[in-house]
Amino acid sequence: MLSRPFRLGTALALLVVPAASAQVSDQALGSISTPDSVTTRIGTLAFRDGTPSADTVAAVYDNLDFTYAFRAFTDTFKGVSVQAIREGFLAAGVKDNELLVFSELMDSESLFLTANADTVYYVGFLDLSDGPMVLETPPDALGTIDDMWFRWVTDFGRPGPDRGEGGKYLIVGPGYDGYLPQDGFYIAHSGTNRVAILGRSFLTDDDPAPTVEVIKAHTRIYPYAPGGVGMSIARYLEGGVQLGRNAEPRTPVFHEGSGLAINTIPPSDFTYFEMLNTLVQDEPATALDPELMGPIAAIGIRKGEDFAPDERMKAILTDAVAVANATGRTLGFSPRDPDWFFYENSQWWNPLFAGGYLFETPLPEITRDGAKPYPPTGYKQNDARTSFFYMATGITPAMAMRLTGVGSQYLFAAKDADGTFFDGAKTYKVTLPKDIPAEAFWSFTLYDNQTRSMLKTPQKYPRAGSQNYPSPAAEAAGDGSTTVWFSPEQPEGVARGNWVQTDPDKGWVVILRLYSPLASFFDKTWRPTEIEAVE
């Protein structure tokens, strides 16, 4: 029965109206009911009037735990990637607040996800657990600082606020509530107790030695001194703060990286979860979004608690990491999203093109009136995130911008013009038309399919490019185009600088890098050929 009010004079009364006779349809009941037997990808599930059988309960919980473990890999692999780098550094004797510098560039002895053999790397970790740290950076750098979940904190150098002049960066960790200076520093905040310093600098006239001298002469790492440089006496007289001595800049310990055999690649077996647990224990419980931390906690990795899976759970985790690793590898070698491909009917791709460095919103357009950002999409492109971090180290807006003359752009290729994965025993070639759109320089680098690190061959540096170090510069043809060859043996008539050696027993992928890219890259009026197998 339905009642509705009506007014009679000044009194309020209720008029009782009979309800229409109605029943829920059989179709509606069927749509909300669970049959006694349901065939699914995890088997046949049995129910008695909607309640699960004992076998169904076991199967569903196994699948639920598998799903959480799978997501703990695909959604947060990037954090374990940073942890793997730090553990590799510690194993090599490189402590926090020290730097590994590659004075003769990185070569194929080091296992780093798709690093280059073109720039001088100087990398390390800052420990913020005892308070903010100061990083003084050299001029002409191209660097970034990421936190332990591989989230961007700030850039330094050419794309950063110092714009290539070098500067003092004050990196503030979680929970710090002390005084911060009014001036004198570029201040950036991290959500984790440690951050990764990922510095690169260009060669000087094809020579790394002068660049290394500049890096060592200008780079400083030291604790911030509250009340010193950055706080005026006038601010002290306002009360509530204390004066302090100026911090003493310190030259960090530099460890040599060139030729160093070091592993920084995350594992793809059960030990992946042990490394994930170390990361969770070392960082604040609130360092990661609760939605992302949920699956991690569901499989027994929780801040302040022991990670001790029983035999059942360990078997599920082992299975899940195998499937998740296969997923990351598939997304990294054989993408299916057409938006990732830079050109129509091409094998050149990059997952950053569709969603930017946050894997959400397309790259802003650059117009005469300035940058024109797209509105937020409201969702993460999870496949792009998984693919990128499975294949690459570091994240910064400088990797994902349409701004000419700043940062760098990358094109991946894992297949030839016919859509076939590269075979190390075969010969391939690719041609770059004249006027290659790289104001600084360009290069190709080959990577081992298994390690996603530089392909190890007698060449040591598996690259070709416009620089004359560490291998001869590639030579252009009479029409201005440049052809590069990939093969186990140097093709007859091909200059050394135009050939990258392959291993006949290994597959490979390649990255074309354009440093300080130009407009013809972004508007696609310039386009490399596909990589073709040569009969």
Side-chain angles (χ1 to χ4, degrees), residues 112-388:
F112 278 82
L113 291 175
T114 54
N116 71 62
D118 307 308
T119 62
V120 177
Y121 279 111
Y122 41 108
V123 290
F125 289 84
L126 288 183
D127 184 356
L128 310 174
S129 57
D130 291 331
M133 295 290 291
V134 178
L135 170 67
E136 294 188 16
T137 62
D140 296 320
L142 183 63
T144 190
I145 295 175
D146 290 337
D147 75 6
M148 290 300 293
W149 288 104
F150 250 151
R151 295 173 299 201
W152 177 69
V153 175
T154 188
D155 286 326
F156 63 88
R158 295 168 185 252
D162 71 88
R163 303 295 287 274
E165 295 184 1
K168 292 182 179 180
Y169 287 79
L170 180 58
I171 312 302
V172 184
Y176 179 77
D177 59 0
Y179 175 80
L180 291 176
Q182 298 165 305
D183 203 354
F185 299 87
Y186 302 113
I187 300 176
H189 294 264
S190 167
T192 58
N193 291 322
R194 291 180 177 85
V195 295
I197 304 168
L198 305 170
R200 295 170 291 165
S201 288
F202 296 164
L203 306 186
T204 304
D205 297 325
D206 288 339
D207 185 356
T211 299
V212 173
E213 290 181 9
V214 170
I215 292 170
K216 291 184 175 181
H218 291 85
T219 304
R220 301 289 183 268
I221 294 175
Y222 52 95
Y224 165 64
V229 169
M231 186 179 79
S232 67
I233 300 297
R235 174 64 186 86
Y236 165 71
L237 295 175
E238 294 175 4
V241 295
Q242 295 295 321
L243 285 176
R245 291 189 175 186
N246 295 338
E248 181 181 350
R250 301 174 190 170
T251 301
V253 174
F254 285 96
H255 299 260
E256 182 53 56
S258 295
L260 178 66
I262 181 175
N263 177 32
T264 69
I265 311 300
S268 55
D269 56 18
F270 175 78
T271 59
Y272 170 89
F273 294 106
E274 294 176 334
M275 191 172 285
L276 175 60
N277 179 61
T278 300
L279 173 60
V280 170
Q281 301 307 325
D282 285 350
E283 296 300 336
T286 56
L288 191 64
D289 185 294
E291 193 70 28
L292 291 174
M293 191 62 83
I296 297 173
I299 61 174
I301 297 176
R302 299 173 183 144
K303 176 76 172 180
E305 299 182 17
D306 291 336
F307 174 52
D310 58 22
E311 290 303 312
R312 167 192 166 273
M313 193 64 179
K314 189 170 183 178
I316 290 173
L317 294 175
T318 300
D319 187 30
V321 75
V323 176
N325 176 69
T327 302
R329 184 166 287 277
T330 299
L331 288 168
F333 284 83
S334 188
R336 64 179 180 178
D337 189 334
D339 290 339
W340 295 10
F341 292 86
F342 196 54
Y343 308 103
E344 189 175 353
N345 299 320
S346 175
Q347 297 295 338
W348 293 110
W349 62 280
N350 186 323
L352 297 180
F353 294 144
Y357 81 102
L358 292 175
F359 306 97
E360 178 187 348
T361 302
L363 308 182
E365 294 288 346
I366 305 299
T367 71
R368 291 181 178 179
D369 298 324
K372 300 293 183 182
Y374 287 96
T377 61
Y379 59 86
K380 286 286 185 185
Q381 298 185 23
N382 291 342
D383 284 357
R385 180 178 63 192
T386 299
S387 173
F388 180 83

Side-chain angles (χ1 to χ4, degrees), residues 422-429 446 455-460 485-492 496 498-508 533-534:
F422 298 123
D423 182 344
K426 294 183 177 181
T427 297
Y428 300 85
K429 69 175 182 177
L446 298 195
L455 185 67
K456 195 168 184 177
T457 70
Q459 277 189 345
K460 189 177 177 180
W485 299 70
F486 312 105
S487 59
E489 302 294 336
Q490 186 172 348
E492 185 177 352
R496 168 63 184 84
N498 295 66
W499 168 59
V500 185
Q501 189 172 27
T502 60
D503 181 339
D505 296 323
K506 298 293 299 180
W508 51 271
V534 178

Side-chain angles (χ1 to χ4, degrees), residues 78-126:
K78 59 181 186 172
V80 179
S81 186
V82 192
Q83 182 66 25
I85 298 172
R86 181 167 181 266
E87 292 190 15
F89 277 35
L90 293 175
V94 184
K95 302 174 184 178
D96 292 342
N97 305 325
E98 299 178 350
L99 291 175
L100 187 63
V101 60
F102 293 81
S103 298
E104 297 179 4
L105 306 191
M106 190 182 297
D107 58 47
S108 56
E109 288 296 326
S110 298
L111 299 183
F112 278 82
L113 291 175
T114 54
N116 71 62
D118 307 308
T119 62
V120 177
Y121 279 111
Y122 41 108
V123 290
F125 289 84
L126 288 183

